[in-house]
PDB file of all heavy atoms in Angstrom:
ATOM      1  N   PHE A  95       8.119   1.697  -9.164  1.00 98.00           N
ATOM      2  CA  PHE A  95       6.841   2.189  -8.651  1.00 98.00           C
ATOM      3  C   PHE A  95       6.025   1.056  -8.029  1.00 98.00           C
ATOM      4  O   PHE A  95       5.508   1.184  -6.911  1.00 98.00           O
ATOM      5  CB  PHE A  95       6.068   2.851  -9.786  1.00 98.00           C
ATOM      6  CG  PHE A  95       4.669   3.265  -9.453  1.00 98.00           C
ATOM      7  CD1 PHE A  95       4.429   4.283  -8.536  1.00 98.00           C
ATOM      8  CD2 PHE A  95       3.584   2.659 -10.059  1.00 98.00           C
ATOM      9  CE1 PHE A  95       3.139   4.676  -8.221  1.00 98.00           C
ATOM     10  CE2 PHE A  95       2.288   3.049  -9.761  1.00 98.00           C
ATOM     11  CZ  PHE A  95       2.061   4.057  -8.833  1.00 98.00           C
ATOM     12  N   GLU A  96       5.917  -0.051  -8.742  1.00 98.00           N
ATOM     13  CA  GLU A  96       5.147  -1.175  -8.219  1.00 98.00           C
ATOM     14  C   GLU A  96       5.792  -1.741  -6.954  1.00 98.00           C
ATOM     15  O   GLU A  96       5.089  -2.112  -6.000  1.00 98.00           O
ATOM     16  CB  GLU A  96       5.009  -2.261  -9.282  1.00 98.00           C
ATOM     17  CG  GLU A  96       4.121  -1.835 -10.445  1.00 98.00           C
ATOM     18  CD  GLU A  96       3.831  -2.972 -11.409  1.00 98.00           C
ATOM     19  OE1 GLU A  96       4.109  -4.146 -11.061  1.00 98.00           O
ATOM     20  OE2 GLU A  96       3.305  -2.697 -12.499  1.00 98.00           O
ATOM     21  N   GLY A  97       7.117  -1.791  -6.932  1.00 98.00           N
ATOM     22  CA  GLY A  97       7.807  -2.269  -5.737  1.00 98.00           C
ATOM     23  C   GLY A  97       7.550  -1.379  -4.540  1.00 98.00           C
ATOM     24  O   GLY A  97       7.377  -1.856  -3.407  1.00 98.00           O
ATOM     25  N   LEU A  98       7.513  -0.075  -4.772  1.00 98.00           N
ATOM     26  CA  LEU A  98       7.236   0.868  -3.689  1.00 98.00           C
ATOM     27  C   LEU A  98       5.825   0.649  -3.133  1.00 98.00           C
ATOM     28  O   LEU A  98       5.624   0.594  -1.909  1.00 98.00           O
ATOM     29  CB  LEU A  98       7.385   2.292  -4.209  1.00 98.00           C
ATOM     30  CG  LEU A  98       7.278   3.448  -3.207  1.00 98.00           C
ATOM     31  CD1 LEU A  98       8.010   4.668  -3.745  1.00 98.00           C
ATOM     32  CD2 LEU A  98       5.835   3.824  -2.903  1.00 98.00           C
ATOM     33  N   LEU A  99       4.829   0.504  -4.023  1.00 98.00           N
ATOM     34  CA  LEU A  99       3.461   0.284  -3.559  1.00 98.00           C
ATOM     35  C   LEU A  99       3.343  -1.021  -2.779  1.00 98.00           C
ATOM     36  O   LEU A  99       2.667  -1.067  -1.735  1.00 98.00           O
ATOM     37  CB  LEU A  99       2.493   0.273  -4.746  1.00 98.00           C
ATOM     38  CG  LEU A  99       2.257   1.588  -5.476  1.00 98.00           C
ATOM     39  CD1 LEU A  99       1.210   1.392  -6.570  1.00 98.00           C
ATOM     40  CD2 LEU A  99       1.805   2.684  -4.525  1.00 98.00           C
ATOM     41  N   ARG A 100       3.977  -2.079  -3.284  1.00 98.00           N
ATOM     42  CA  ARG A 100       3.922  -3.366  -2.580  1.00 98.00           C
ATOM     43  C   ARG A 100       4.516  -3.247  -1.182  1.00 98.00           C
ATOM     44  O   ARG A 100       3.939  -3.739  -0.200  1.00 98.00           O
ATOM     45  CB  ARG A 100       4.666  -4.445  -3.369  1.00 98.00           C
ATOM     46  CG  ARG A 100       3.885  -5.043  -4.512  1.00 98.00           C
ATOM     47  CD  ARG A 100       4.553  -6.301  -5.032  1.00 98.00           C
ATOM     48  NE  ARG A 100       5.864  -6.021  -5.604  1.00 98.00           N
ATOM     49  CZ  ARG A 100       6.077  -5.724  -6.879  1.00 98.00           C
ATOM     50  NH1 ARG A 100       5.052  -5.667  -7.720  1.00 98.00           N
ATOM     51  NH2 ARG A 100       7.285  -5.488  -7.315  1.00 98.00           N
ATOM     52  N   ALA A 101       5.683  -2.617  -1.094  1.00 98.00           N
ATOM     53  CA  ALA A 101       6.362  -2.501   0.198  1.00 98.00           C
ATOM     54  C   ALA A 101       5.572  -1.636   1.168  1.00 98.00           C
ATOM     55  O   ALA A 101       5.468  -1.952   2.361  1.00 98.00           O
ATOM     56  CB  ALA A 101       7.765  -1.941  -0.008  1.00 98.00           C
ATOM     57  N   ALA A 102       5.003  -0.543   0.679  1.00 98.00           N
ATOM     58  CA  ALA A 102       4.215   0.324   1.551  1.00 98.00           C
ATOM     59  C   ALA A 102       2.982  -0.411   2.058  1.00 98.00           C
ATOM     60  O   ALA A 102       2.666  -0.369   3.260  1.00 98.00           O
ATOM     61  CB  ALA A 102       3.814   1.592   0.804  1.00 98.00           C
ATOM     62  N   ALA A 103       2.285  -1.091   1.153  1.00 98.00           N
ATOM     63  CA  ALA A 103       1.089  -1.827   1.556  1.00 98.00           C
ATOM     64  C   ALA A 103       1.429  -2.915   2.568  1.00 98.00           C
ATOM     65  O   ALA A 103       0.701  -3.114   3.554  1.00 98.00           O
ATOM     66  CB  ALA A 103       0.410  -2.432   0.329  1.00 98.00           C
ATOM     67  N   GLU A 104       2.508  -3.617   2.354  1.00 98.00           N
ATOM     68  CA  GLU A 104       2.930  -4.666   3.293  1.00 98.00           C
ATOM     69  C   GLU A 104       3.291  -4.059   4.639  1.00 98.00           C
ATOM     70  O   GLU A 104       3.011  -4.655   5.703  1.00 98.00           O
ATOM     71  CB  GLU A 104       4.115  -5.435   2.711  1.00 98.00           C
ATOM     72  CG  GLU A 104       4.625  -6.565   3.592  1.00 98.00           C
ATOM     73  CD  GLU A 104       3.636  -7.708   3.773  1.00 98.00           C
ATOM     74  OE1 GLU A 104       2.609  -7.741   3.062  1.00 98.00           O
ATOM     75  OE2 GLU A 104       3.892  -8.558   4.648  1.00 98.00           O
ATOM     76  N   SER A 105       3.895  -2.886   4.637  1.00 98.00           N
ATOM     77  CA  SER A 105       4.210  -2.200   5.891  1.00 98.00           C
ATOM     78  C   SER A 105       2.943  -1.934   6.700  1.00 98.00           C
ATOM     79  O   SER A 105       2.928  -2.091   7.927  1.00 98.00           O
ATOM     80  CB  SER A 105       4.924  -0.875   5.607  1.00 98.00           C
ATOM     81  OG  SER A 105       6.180  -1.076   5.004  1.00 98.00           O
ATOM     82  N   PHE A 106       1.892  -1.529   6.023  1.00 98.00           N
ATOM     83  CA  PHE A 106       0.636  -1.277   6.719  1.00 98.00           C
ATOM     84  C   PHE A 106      -0.012  -2.577   7.200  1.00 98.00           C
ATOM     85  O   PHE A 106      -0.571  -2.635   8.295  1.00 98.00           O
ATOM     86  CB  PHE A 106      -0.322  -0.498   5.818  1.00 98.00           C
ATOM     87  CG  PHE A 106       0.124   0.911   5.547  1.00 98.00           C
ATOM     88  CD1 PHE A 106       0.313   1.368   4.252  1.00 98.00           C
ATOM     89  CD2 PHE A 106       0.368   1.786   6.598  1.00 98.00           C
ATOM     90  CE1 PHE A 106       0.734   2.667   4.001  1.00 98.00           C
ATOM     91  CE2 PHE A 106       0.787   3.094   6.362  1.00 98.00           C
ATOM     92  CZ  PHE A 106       0.971   3.529   5.058  1.00 98.00           C
ATOM     93  N   ARG A 107       0.073  -3.630   6.391  1.00 98.00           N
ATOM     94  CA  ARG A 107      -0.552  -4.902   6.781  1.00 98.00           C
ATOM     95  C   ARG A 107       0.041  -5.440   8.076  1.00 98.00           C
ATOM     96  O   ARG A 107      -0.705  -5.865   8.976  1.00 98.00           O
ATOM     97  CB  ARG A 107      -0.383  -5.939   5.665  1.00 98.00           C
ATOM     98  CG  ARG A 107      -1.098  -7.261   5.965  1.00 98.00           C
ATOM     99  CD  ARG A 107      -0.712  -8.353   4.986  1.00 98.00           C
ATOM    100  NE  ARG A 107       0.672  -8.772   5.190  1.00 98.00           N
ATOM    101  CZ  ARG A 107       1.069  -9.642   6.128  1.00 98.00           C
ATOM    102  NH1 ARG A 107       0.190 -10.169   6.969  1.00 98.00           N
ATOM    103  NH2 ARG A 107       2.341  -9.982   6.224  1.00 98.00           N
ATOM    104  N   VAL A 108       1.364  -5.410   8.193  1.00 98.00           N
ATOM    105  CA  VAL A 108       1.983  -6.000   9.386  1.00 98.00           C
ATOM    106  C   VAL A 108       1.714  -5.170  10.639  1.00 98.00           C
ATOM    107  O   VAL A 108       1.886  -5.650  11.761  1.00 98.00           O
ATOM    108  CB  VAL A 108       3.501  -6.212   9.194  1.00 98.00           C
ATOM    109  CG1 VAL A 108       3.764  -7.142   8.015  1.00 98.00           C
ATOM    110  CG2 VAL A 108       4.248  -4.885   9.025  1.00 98.00           C
ATOM    111  N   GLN A 109       1.284  -3.919  10.467  1.00 98.00           N
ATOM    112  CA  GLN A 109       0.931  -3.086  11.614  1.00 98.00           C
ATOM    113  C   GLN A 109      -0.506  -3.294  12.081  1.00 98.00           C
ATOM    114  O   GLN A 109      -0.905  -2.754  13.109  1.00 98.00           O
ATOM    115  CB  GLN A 109       1.130  -1.605  11.268  1.00 98.00           C
ATOM    116  CG  GLN A 109       2.572  -1.214  11.018  1.00 98.00           C
ATOM    117  CD  GLN A 109       2.704   0.227  10.558  1.00 98.00           C
ATOM    118  OE1 GLN A 109       2.139   1.124  11.171  1.00 98.00           O
ATOM    119  NE2 GLN A 109       3.442   0.449   9.487  1.00 98.00           N
ATOM    120  N   GLY A 110      -1.282  -4.041  11.297  1.00 98.00           N
ATOM    121  CA  GLY A 110      -2.658  -4.320  11.692  1.00 98.00           C
ATOM    122  C   GLY A 110      -3.725  -3.710  10.817  1.00 98.00           C
ATOM    123  O   GLY A 110      -4.914  -3.929  11.039  1.00 98.00           O
ATOM    124  N   PHE A 111      -3.336  -2.936   9.806  1.00 98.00           N
ATOM    125  CA  PHE A 111      -4.325  -2.417   8.871  1.00 98.00           C
ATOM    126  C   PHE A 111      -4.817  -3.560   7.984  1.00 98.00           C
ATOM    127  O   PHE A 111      -4.018  -4.317   7.437  1.00 98.00           O
ATOM    128  CB  PHE A 111      -3.726  -1.304   8.015  1.00 98.00           C
ATOM    129  CG  PHE A 111      -3.423  -0.051   8.787  1.00 98.00           C
ATOM    130  CD1 PHE A 111      -2.153   0.167   9.319  1.00 98.00           C
ATOM    131  CD2 PHE A 111      -4.407   0.904   9.002  1.00 98.00           C
ATOM    132  CE1 PHE A 111      -1.871   1.316  10.043  1.00 98.00           C
ATOM    133  CE2 PHE A 111      -4.134   2.063   9.724  1.00 98.00           C
ATOM    134  CZ  PHE A 111      -2.870   2.271  10.251  1.00 98.00           C
ATOM    135  N   THR A 112      -6.121  -3.669   7.857  1.00 98.00           N
ATOM    136  CA  THR A 112      -6.689  -4.782   7.085  1.00 98.00           C
ATOM    137  C   THR A 112      -7.214  -4.358   5.721  1.00 98.00           C
ATOM    138  O   THR A 112      -7.489  -5.212   4.883  1.00 98.00           O
ATOM    139  CB  THR A 112      -7.828  -5.447   7.875  1.00 98.00           C
ATOM    140  OG1 THR A 112      -8.819  -4.461   8.210  1.00 98.00           O
ATOM    141  CG2 THR A 112      -7.291  -6.079   9.158  1.00 98.00           C
ATOM    142  N   THR A 113      -7.373  -3.045   5.496  1.00 98.00           N
ATOM    143  CA  THR A 113      -7.788  -2.549   4.189  1.00 98.00           C
ATOM    144  C   THR A 113      -6.837  -1.440   3.760  1.00 98.00           C
ATOM    145  O   THR A 113      -6.750  -0.404   4.426  1.00 98.00           O
ATOM    146  CB  THR A 113      -9.227  -2.001   4.215  1.00 98.00           C
ATOM    147  OG1 THR A 113     -10.121  -3.022   4.659  1.00 98.00           O
ATOM    148  CG2 THR A 113      -9.647  -1.549   2.822  1.00 98.00           C
ATOM    149  N   VAL A 114      -6.132  -1.665   2.668  1.00 98.00           N
ATOM    150  CA  VAL A 114      -5.233  -0.668   2.098  1.00 98.00           C
ATOM    151  C   VAL A 114      -5.875  -0.177   0.809  1.00 98.00           C
ATOM    152  O   VAL A 114      -6.080  -0.948  -0.130  1.00 98.00           O
ATOM    153  CB  VAL A 114      -3.834  -1.254   1.814  1.00 98.00           C
ATOM    154  CG1 VAL A 114      -2.927  -0.193   1.193  1.00 98.00           C
ATOM    155  CG2 VAL A 114      -3.212  -1.805   3.095  1.00 98.00           C
ATOM    156  N   VAL A 115      -6.202   1.092   0.773  1.00 98.00           N
ATOM    157  CA  VAL A 115      -6.905   1.681  -0.369  1.00 98.00           C
ATOM    158  C   VAL A 115      -5.903   2.409  -1.261  1.00 98.00           C
ATOM    159  O   VAL A 115      -5.098   3.214  -0.777  1.00 98.00           O
ATOM    160  CB  VAL A 115      -7.988   2.673   0.100  1.00 98.00           C
ATOM    161  CG1 VAL A 115      -8.704   3.292  -1.099  1.00 98.00           C
ATOM    162  CG2 VAL A 115      -8.988   1.971   1.025  1.00 98.00           C
ATOM    163  N   LEU A 116      -5.961   2.137  -2.557  1.00 98.00           N
ATOM    164  CA  LEU A 116      -5.106   2.818  -3.526  1.00 98.00           C
ATOM    165  C   LEU A 116      -5.964   3.748  -4.388  1.00 98.00           C
ATOM    166  O   LEU A 116      -6.909   3.295  -5.044  1.00 98.00           O
ATOM    167  CB  LEU A 116      -4.394   1.817  -4.436  1.00 98.00           C
ATOM    168  CG  LEU A 116      -3.435   0.824  -3.782  1.00 98.00           C
ATOM    169  CD1 LEU A 116      -2.846  -0.106  -4.849  1.00 98.00           C
ATOM    170  CD2 LEU A 116      -2.319   1.536  -3.033  1.00 98.00           C
ATOM    171  N   ILE A 117      -5.638   5.046  -4.372  1.00 98.00           N
ATOM    172  CA  ILE A 117      -6.267   5.981  -5.296  1.00 98.00           C
ATOM    173  C   ILE A 117      -5.160   6.747  -6.015  1.00 98.00           C
ATOM    174  O   ILE A 117      -4.164   7.127  -5.412  1.00 98.00           O
ATOM    175  CB  ILE A 117      -7.234   6.960  -4.596  1.00 98.00           C
ATOM    176  CG1 ILE A 117      -6.519   7.781  -3.513  1.00 98.00           C
ATOM    177  CG2 ILE A 117      -8.428   6.227  -4.015  1.00 98.00           C
ATOM    178  CD1 ILE A 117      -7.379   8.894  -2.932  1.00 98.00           C
ATOM    179  N   GLY A 118      -5.328   6.951  -7.302  1.00 98.00           N
ATOM    180  CA  GLY A 118      -4.305   7.625  -8.095  1.00 98.00           C
ATOM    181  C   GLY A 118      -4.879   8.779  -8.893  1.00 98.00           C
ATOM    182  O   GLY A 118      -5.950   8.660  -9.499  1.00 98.00           O
ATOM    183  N   ASP A 119      -4.162   9.900  -8.922  1.00 97.00           N
ATOM    184  CA  ASP A 119      -4.642  11.131  -9.553  1.00 97.00           C
ATOM    185  C   ASP A 119      -4.220  11.264 -11.014  1.00 97.00           C
ATOM    186  O   ASP A 119      -4.560  12.247 -11.661  1.00 97.00           O
ATOM    187  CB  ASP A 119      -4.121  12.337  -8.748  1.00 97.00           C
ATOM    188  CG  ASP A 119      -4.996  13.577  -8.920  1.00 97.00           C
ATOM    189  OD1 ASP A 119      -6.176  13.512  -8.536  1.00 97.00           O
ATOM    190  OD2 ASP A 119      -4.490  14.596  -9.439  1.00 97.00           O
ATOM    191  N   HIS A 120      -3.491  10.284 -11.527  1.00 96.00           N
ATOM    192  CA  HIS A 120      -2.893  10.380 -12.869  1.00 96.00           C
ATOM    193  C   HIS A 120      -3.156   9.072 -13.618  1.00 96.00           C
ATOM    194  O   HIS A 120      -3.162   7.993 -13.012  1.00 96.00           O
ATOM    195  CB  HIS A 120      -1.398  10.632 -12.700  1.00 96.00           C
ATOM    196  CG  HIS A 120      -0.590  10.591 -13.960  1.00 96.00           C
ATOM    197  ND1 HIS A 120      -0.930  11.289 -15.091  1.00 96.00           N
ATOM    198  CD2 HIS A 120       0.574   9.952 -14.260  1.00 96.00           C
ATOM    199  CE1 HIS A 120      -0.012  11.072 -16.039  1.00 96.00           C
ATOM    200  NE2 HIS A 120       0.889  10.270 -15.553  1.00 96.00           N
TER     201      HIS A 120
END
């Protein structure tokens, strides 16, 4: 799970997103 979040966030960073927001329902 943590690896998935890290990889997804890094994917967004390299595209130019500067703020990655994490919200969780559980």
Side-chain angles (χ1 to χ4, degrees):
F95 173 67
E96 291 188 13
L98 186 156
L99 291 183
R100 280 193 296 270
E104 181 66 10
S105 295
F106 292 123
R107 184 191 70 82
V108 300
Q109 294 175 49
F111 291 94
T112 56
T113 302
V114 179
V115 179
L116 298 179
I117 58 172
D119 205 62
H120 173 50

